[in-house]
Amino acid sequence: DAGVIQSPRHEVTEMGQEVTLRCKPISGHDYLFWYRQTMMRGLELLIYFNNNVPIDDSGMPEDRFSAKMPNASFSTLKIQPSEPRDSAVYFCASSLDSLMGTNEKLFFGSGTQLSVL
Amino acid sequence: GQQVMQIPQYQHVQEGEDFTTYCNSSTTLSNIQWYKQRPGGHPVFLIQLVKSGEVKKQKRLTFQFGEAKKNSSLHITATQTTDVGTYFCAGRARRTYKYIFGTGTRLKVLA
């Protein structure tokens, strides 16, 4: 398996532009997470899905952020309009629910480094 | 909301010295996981602890889950330069699948 695949690896955009980040989870995994990492705030959970359904989006900063999972093999995180304070590394992770919660490791993608100028 | 803190924030050690990072949650956890992130990389799963008071070992790494399931620790014996990176704990509260990551401890090993 190729692991969790994110694209693009790097994105540089200007303030006010729309940004779309993409994620392909590991096949068969039923949970998908979007995290944002900055020096100041660490790894923040933005939203997570179970079987393509958003379960908790309480970490989404504001209405400018939206996430979708149209099918089990694809998810997007969109920022519209983007602002300089959105600059961060955005990680997607997936995991497989296990009986009794005994082995719920998160597999992370390589991340998207977003710079908003 | 649930918060997970780690101390110390940074640690510099001489190669061969031991290292410990501590993780504390504001809420009782269902389980706790540990991850390592190398500079420029992504978090990589190390281990999961589920039971109160559980202790697990991986070679030079020892992981412990507190009796109250609100704290955890990672201890590395005789550090090596390959141990460099940031170590995160991630806790999941009951009745949720949210994994909240700790603030991380950045380890630097001096040869």
Side-chain angles (χ1 to χ4, degrees), chain A residues 9 31 33 35 37 39 43 45 48 56 58 91 95-98 100-106 108-111, chain B residues 9-10 31 33 35 37 40-45 48 50 56 88 90 92 96-103 106:
Chain A
R9 286 298 308 273
Y31 282 90
F33 305 81
Y35 285 89
Q37 186 173 38
M39 287 295 293
L43 268 166
L45 176 63
Y48 78 95
D56 189 324
S58 59
F91 287 106
S95 75
L96 180 64
D97 192 11
S98 63
M100 302 297 289
T102 55
N103 193 21
E104 299 171 350
K105 59 177 76 172
L106 303 188
F108 282 78
S110 298
Chain B
Q9 189 175 1
Y10 301 97
N31 65 46
Q33 298 178 347
Y35 291 79
Q37 183 177 24
H42 58 274
V44 175
F45 176 86
Q48 174 171 291
V50 179
K56 286 189 176 181
F88 292 96
R92 177 168 79 81
T96 175
Y97 211 89
K98 283 173 71 165
Y99 277 93
I100 304 299
F101 276 71
T103 45
R106 184 181 296 182

Side-chain angles (χ1 to χ4, degrees), chain B residues 11 13-20 75-79 107:
Chain B
Q11 184 84 60
V13 299
Q14 290 287 334
E15 188 174 24
E17 291 182 341
D18 291 357
F19 160 77
T20 304
H75 179 82
I76 302 178
T77 303
T79 54
L107 173 64

Side-chain angles (χ1 to χ4, degrees), chain B residues 72-89:
Chain B
S72 181
S73 65
L74 158 60
H75 179 82
I76 302 178
T77 303
T79 54
Q80 300 175 358
T81 53
T82 52
D83 296 326
V84 165
T86 301
Y87 293 84
F88 292 96
C89 61

Side-chain angles (χ1 to χ4, degrees), chain B residues 10-95:
Chain B
Y10 301 97
Q11 184 84 60
H12 293 181
V13 299
Q14 290 287 334
E15 188 174 24
E17 291 182 341
D18 291 357
F19 160 77
T20 304
T21 173
Y22 300 90
C23 174
N24 287 285
S25 169
S26 59
T27 58
T28 301
L29 301 173
S30 176
N31 65 46
I32 195 157
Q33 298 178 347
W34 284 90
Y35 291 79
K36 177 183 178 181
Q37 183 177 24
R38 288 201 164 94
H42 58 274
V44 175
F45 176 86
L46 294 176
I47 207 159
Q48 174 171 291
L49 304 169
V50 179
K51 299 176 184 176
S52 170
E54 188 171 13
V55 178
K56 286 189 176 181
K57 292 189 176 185
Q58 285 180 350
K59 297 183 180 178
R60 294 178 296 103
L61 278 60
T62 302
F63 305 84
Q64 192 163 8
F65 201 7
E67 294 290 340
K69 301 185 77 172
K70 294 183 72 173
N71 57 66
S72 181
S73 65
L74 158 60
H75 179 82
I76 302 178
T77 303
T79 54
Q80 300 175 358
T81 53
T82 52
D83 296 326
V84 165
T86 301
Y87 293 84
F88 292 96
C89 61
R92 177 168 79 81
R94 297 189 183 116
R95 291 186 292 277

Side-chain angles (χ1 to χ4, degrees), chain A residues 2-117:
Chain A
V4 176
I5 300 173
Q6 290 187 247
S7 64
R9 286 298 308 273
H10 303 275
E11 177 79 36
V12 180
T13 190
E14 290 187 347
M15 182 174 63
Q17 296 298 307
E18 177 180 297
V19 175
T20 300
L21 310 182
R22 296 173 174 80
C23 175
K24 175 178 167 52
I26 292 173
S27 177
H29 281 192
D30 47 6
Y31 282 90
L32 183 138
F33 305 81
W34 282 101
Y35 285 89
R36 177 172 69 176
Q37 186 173 38
T38 60
M39 287 295 293
M40 290 298 295
R41 301 174 70 90
L43 268 166
E44 300 174 274
L45 176 63
L46 301 178
I47 185 172
Y48 78 95
F49 296 82
N50 177 219
N51 291 323
N52 313 338
V53 176
I55 302 301
D56 189 324
D57 65 354
S58 59
M60 295 287 261
E62 47 199 273
D63 292 346
R64 297 185 297 106
F65 285 69
S66 63
K68 294 181 179 180
M69 192 164 186
N71 57 62
S73 57
F74 184 64
S75 177
T76 60
L77 178 67
K78 187 175 292 187
I79 308 172
Q80 166 63 22
S82 58
E83 296 182 3
R85 59 193 168 119
D86 302 330
S87 298
V89 179
Y90 290 81
F91 287 106
C92 174
S94 70
S95 75
L96 180 64
D97 192 11
S98 63
L99 188 65
M100 302 297 289
T102 55
N103 193 21
E104 299 171 350
K105 59 177 76 172
L106 303 188
F107 292 84
F108 282 78
S110 298
T112 295
Q113 174 76 60
L114 173 65
S115 297
V116 183
L117 306 177

